Amino acid sequence: MSIDIVIRQKGLFKKTLPLSVILGDSLACGVYEAGFRLNPGEWRSEDGEILVYHPHHKGRGFSVIWTPTQKKGVVLRALHPTCAEELKAVYATVGRITDYWSCSLEVDGNPMTPAEFQAGFSDMLEANNRYLDLFIEESIDKEQYESMTLFSAFWPLEFGAKEAAEVKDAPEGAPARFAAWLHEMQSADTYYAVAGYMEEDDGIVSRFAFTEDCDSLFPVKPAVPFGVTGADGRPLVVSRYEVAIFSTTTQSMIATIPYDAFMTSLSPDKVSYYDAKRVRIAPHSLTELKELIAKAGA
């Protein structure tokens, strides 16, 4: 579920749209790397899409199709459910753009004036909260969904039954807790691990990196992200998953371990729950890395 906003500049003498108009005084932007992990501060992308977010209210972010030379118009997309702070940021961004340009506005294919759009904020917020209620109920239903992926500003989050129950029963109310959860999950000073892919004699190998003294987020069970395809355009099929172990002390890769062996060899006191499909792995010293490698039989 999303809200799609198309803004087209009118008039004979059109002007470009500075990034400062999009971001205002409080927002930041980035561009997604492989695996939907954000590269904060970057605005150059092949397709002209940037992800805009509020640094003090990290939520799902909203995308803007924009280039520094663009005069024709821009497209914004915000996902539901999100949080009130993010919806306010979307509406404020649209307000800055429509103040800067003489333009027309379409929301989900429906033409409207900038004033009509701004007047609909309360209705949009109510609709977003209804989407959140539905999202929570669907996430609690384990028979229907193991978890649901929330493509969020810094990286995808997995919202499962545990997360849904905590948000639903929060004393401050579901919308406030959901917003806090989004921000807390993406404010962790940790490395979100994504895989690289390489072709070897026995097929495609998917390899993650685990580095000395690095707090990391790893999937419990690795899988090819949706949308990743091979050279033939078909969904990528991986023959095996591995973890490459890197040492900052020796400045080298010191081992490669099968993914399952890596996960089962981790000390329980080094692993904690992160979300429905990921765990957080505490930093390992070089000595601890060597012990892990020995335990994995590598």
Side-chain angles (χ1 to χ4, degrees):
M1 293 174 283
S2 65
I3 172 175
D4 295 279
I5 305 162
V6 179
I7 303 174
R8 296 185 179 91
Q9 187 173 190
K10 299 188 297 185
L12 185 61
F13 300 102
K14 294 181 173 65
K15 56 185 178 180
T16 58
L17 182 68
L19 182 59
S20 59
V21 173
I22 297 173
L23 300 182
D25 297 328
S26 59
L27 302 182
C29 72
V31 172
Y32 283 131
E33 301 173 323
F36 299 101
R37 182 179 59 195
L38 195 72
N39 181 9
E42 183 59 73
W43 53 264
R44 304 167 189 85
S45 65
E46 292 183 3
D47 59 3
E49 182 176 14
I50 60 174
L51 194 287
V52 178
Y53 66 97
H54 197 307
H56 300 300
H57 302 284
K58 297 186 186 80
R60 304 191 67 182
F62 59 97
S63 67
V64 181
I65 307 297
W66 164 89
T67 62
T69 58
Q70 182 62 270
K71 296 182 180 180
K72 185 177 180 181
V74 294
V75 179
L76 294 80
R77 167 172 284 187
L79 300 173
H80 291 300
T82 186
C83 53
E85 293 85 358
E86 194 148 87
L87 277 179
K88 290 176 184 176
V90 172
Y91 274 72
T93 300
V94 172
R96 288 191 297 273
I97 296 172
T98 55
D99 285 344
Y100 187 80
W101 272 351
S102 172
C103 55
S104 63
L105 185 67
E106 269 186 20
V107 181
D108 295 333
N110 300 310
M112 61 177 62
T113 67
E116 288 171 335
F117 174 73
Q118 296 295 336
F121 175 77
S122 295
D123 290 339
M124 183 61 70
L125 182 57
E126 289 180 7
N128 179 77
N129 291 344
R130 290 196 298 272
Y131 291 138
L132 176 58
D133 289 339
L134 177 62
F135 188 70
I136 290 170
E137 293 304 322
E138 289 179 341
S139 298
I140 288 175
D141 184 2
K142 278 191 171 183
E143 294 183 1
Q144 187 174 5
Y145 302 102
E146 180 183 352
S147 68
M148 292 200 282
T149 304
L150 284 170
F151 292 102
S152 303
F154 274 50
W155 50 64
L157 297 169
E158 291 293 334
F159 196 83
K162 179 179 183 293
E163 290 78 10
E166 291 177 356
V167 169
K168 181 179 180 180
D169 298 331
E172 66 268 40
R177 181 59 199 139
F178 182 66
W181 179 80
L182 287 171
H183 182 70
E184 291 163 4
M185 297 295 283
Q186 296 175 88
S187 296
D189 184 14
T190 186
Y191 170 74
Y192 183 93
V194 296
Y197 302 93
M198 59 210 75
E199 187 173 0
E200 297 189 354
D201 292 340
D202 59 345
I204 302 296
V205 178
S206 175
R207 185 172 293 161
F208 292 79
F210 186 63
T211 305
E212 178 186 345
D213 291 329
C214 183
D215 195 341
S216 304
L217 301 176
F218 269 72
V220 176
K221 295 180 180 179
V224 178
F226 176 78
V228 175
T229 59
D232 57 3
R234 297 179 180 179
L236 194 67
V237 177
V238 170
S239 60
R240 70 178 187 276
Y241 293 91
E242 297 176 341
V243 178
I245 309 295
F246 287 88
S247 168
T248 54
T249 300
T250 65
Q251 293 293 305
S252 64
M253 183 176 75
I254 56 177
T256 301
I257 304 174
Y259 199 94
D260 288 345
F262 170 75
M263 294 301 292
T264 57
S265 299
L266 289 166
S267 175
D269 65 345
K270 288 284 191 178
V271 181
S272 58
Y273 183 93
Y274 177 72
D275 67 13
K277 288 190 177 179
R278 290 178 185 83
V279 292
R280 185 169 180 174
I281 304 174
H284 282 56
S285 66
L286 179 57
T287 298
E288 290 170 328
L289 286 181
K290 290 179 178 179
E291 293 172 352
L292 171 64
I293 292 166
K295 188 175 180 180

